[in-house]
Amino acid sequence: MNILDEVKDAKTIGISGHVRPDGDCIGSVMGLYLYLKKVLPGTQIDIYLEKPADIFNCIRDIDKICSDFGTDMEYDAFVALDCNAERLGDAEPIFNKAHTRINIDHHISNTGCGSVNIIEPERSSTSELLYELMDKSRIDEDIAKALYIGIIHDTGVFQYSNTSPRTLEIASELIKFGFDFPKLISETFYEKTYLQSQIMGRAILESIRFMDGKCIVSVVSKKTMDFYQVGPKDLDGIVNQLMIVKGVECAIFMYETDSMEYKVSMRSGGKVDVAAIAVKFGGGGHVRAAGCTMNGTFHDNINNLSVHIEEQLKKG
Ligand code: 5GP
Ligand code: MN
């Protein structure tokens, strides 16, 4: 399949991804934008996305992202990347109005929300999947860089089990374009500001283990985020750091988004299917990495989640 088959007759194309965009979301959105700009030069192409973190400023044309969703545009084609329609946030009505709605994703919890659906859960990332849908002879350094960023973010730099031989083949094709990949990995994936490191340290210090050390949880309140002057984008990586504690099968990290409302991130070593648990609470994701938003106190949420984790661990 070639993405061009679906959009080549469109005069206007919209592209979007999920709320709180992560590296793969941003990499795939920008990779597709740069590719379509190149192969369809006369076409109007607009990107709708929440403003990405500053670390992604190294991607060409990132400033073309529109974060004002109040448009009456009815696009000939609209591509939703790395999520289903509900997770598009304020871009959902724009997607729903489009003539051709294309959904490209790798989340197992996504059943497809477009008139064209390309959902491949075995793919490491939406960026990897998108590479397969492109005409390789038209890929240039800027497109390669955007897709590479997407792949390294969703694979934890080729560390997670979603990394396949094909992922590495694609990465090897991409680095042939000659961009400075060690710098990209260091500056977009590993580097933290001092305040980001401090709040991570505090979250780990205050974490609690339960179920004989098989589960670990930590929470960051709004008050703490205000104290360290950080926002949700600054909390990336905390849940992964909890997950690497020896003996942990399931890690949970939450931060307060509103009064009695928490954004929950879960990670699993493989014995617990955290996507299945996240779906029960209106979220989704992958078997080993998933998330949802939960209402209630921190303790209520932990109680509600741990019932399902315990059930799965007992079965396994
Ligand atoms: P993270 O914990 O890093 O935010 O997300 C882990 C995985 O779960 C990612 O693939 C992300 O897209 C997905 N995910 C996180 N939160 C939600 C959510 O509220 N709904 C859905 N459908 N997926 C989510
Ligand atoms: Mn992804």
Side-chain angles (χ1 to χ4, degrees), residues 18 22-25 28 82 105-107 124-127 150 154 286:
H18 55 78
D22 58 10
D24 182 35
C25 177
S28 59
D82 202 39
D105 190 12
H106 71 128
H107 287 97
S124 69
S125 51
T126 301
S127 300
D154 259 24
H286 311 284

Side-chain angles (χ1 to χ4, degrees), residues 227-295:
F227 176 79
Y228 289 98
Q229 297 171 303
V230 298
K233 286 175 198 160
D234 300 303
L235 307 175
D236 277 358
I238 295 179
V239 70
N240 296 327
Q241 209 61 38
L242 293 169
M243 187 61 217
I244 60 172
V245 173
K246 198 170 165 64
V248 167
E249 289 292 344
C250 185
I252 306 165
F253 174 67
M254 322 187 175
Y255 64 87
E256 200 180 4
T257 45
D258 215 328
S259 152
M260 304 276 265
E261 186 189 271
Y262 291 87
K263 178 71 201 162
V264 179
S265 278
M266 289 182 281
R267 296 294 182 268
S268 155
K271 288 190 183 145
V272 178
D273 177 352
V274 286
I277 299 173
V279 166
K280 285 186 200 294
F281 297 98
H286 311 284
V287 172
R288 290 170 182 250
C292 57
T293 298
M294 294 179 82
N295 295 102

Side-chain angles (χ1 to χ4, degrees), residues 15 17 39-40 46 64 68 100-101 135 160-161 169 174 180 204 207 211 214 231 238 242 244 258-259 266 273 280 302:
I15 304 173
V39 295
L40 302 172
D46 299 325
K64 299 285 193 302
D68 174 6
T100 304
R101 283 164 287 111
D135 175 354
Y160 308 146
S161 60
E169 279 167 12
L174 294 175
D180 189 346
I204 293 160
S207 65
M211 289 183 207
K214 289 193 180 66
I238 295 179
L242 293 169
I244 60 172
D258 215 328
S259 152
M266 289 182 281
D273 177 352
K280 285 186 200 294
I302 283 301

Side-chain angles (χ1 to χ4, degrees), residues 52-285:
D54 291 343
I55 48 169
F56 298 107
N57 287 347
C58 56
I59 300 175
R60 177 177 290 275
D61 284 351
I62 195 102
D63 57 327
K64 299 285 193 302
I65 289 178
C66 171
S67 299
D68 174 6
F69 299 84
T71 176
D72 312 324
M73 275 292 288
E74 288 185 21
Y75 287 93
D76 294 335
F78 201 104
V79 191
L81 291 164
D82 202 39
C83 64
N84 57 11
E86 293 98 79
R87 244 181 126 212
L88 287 171
D90 292 337
E92 185 182 356
I94 320 174
F95 175 79
N96 287 336
K97 267 194 295 187
H99 185 251
T100 304
R101 283 164 287 111
I102 303 164
N103 190 197
I104 303 174
D105 190 12
H106 71 128
H107 287 97
I108 196 160
S109 52
N110 186 0
T111 48
C113 62
S115 46
V116 178
N117 297 301
I118 309 169
I119 315 288
E120 297 190 7
E122 68 283 5
R123 293 288 177 186
S124 69
S125 51
T126 301
S127 300
E128 173 184 323
L129 172 53
L130 207 50
Y131 175 87
E132 302 285 34
L133 304 174
M134 289 178 177
D135 175 354
K136 312 296 174 280
S137 68
R138 307 302 303 273
I139 295 177
D140 60 26
E141 183 175 338
D142 292 322
I143 300 165
K145 195 169 145 182
L147 296 179
Y148 186 83
I149 289 178
I151 295 173
I152 58 169
H153 277 254
D154 259 24
T155 60
V157 196
F158 311 110
Q159 183 201 351
Y160 308 146
S161 60
N162 59 357
T163 307
S164 70
R166 184 66 190 141
T167 313
L168 295 172
E169 279 167 12
I170 293 172
S172 98
E173 291 303 317
L174 294 175
I175 63 169
K176 286 179 191 161
F177 285 94
F179 53 82
D180 189 346
F181 72 86
K183 186 164 180 262
L184 272 189
I185 293 173
S186 150
E187 291 182 0
T188 77
F189 192 80
Y190 289 111
E191 198 172 274
K192 300 255 169 266
T193 64
Y194 185 56
L195 289 174
Q196 287 167 344
S197 299
Q198 280 201 311
I199 199 159
M200 179 184 279
R202 176 142 169 193
I204 293 160
L205 191 71
E206 292 178 355
S207 65
I208 302 161
R209 287 189 302 172
F210 57 107
M211 289 183 207
D212 296 328
K214 289 193 180 66
C215 278
I216 189 164
V217 63
S218 190
V219 62
V220 167
S221 68
K222 255 185 133 172
K223 207 170 135 196
T224 305
M225 286 166 75
D226 291 343
F227 176 79
Y228 289 98
Q229 297 171 303
V230 298
K233 286 175 198 160
D234 300 303
L235 307 175
D236 277 358
I238 295 179
V239 70
N240 296 327
Q241 209 61 38
L242 293 169
M243 187 61 217
I244 60 172
V245 173
K246 198 170 165 64
V248 167
E249 289 292 344
C250 185
I252 306 165
F253 174 67
M254 322 187 175
Y255 64 87
E256 200 180 4
T257 45
D258 215 328
S259 152
M260 304 276 265
E261 186 189 271
Y262 291 87
K263 178 71 201 162
V264 179
S265 278
M266 289 182 281
R267 296 294 182 268
S268 155
K271 288 190 183 145
V272 178
D273 177 352
V274 286
I277 299 173
V279 166
K280 285 186 200 294
F281 297 98

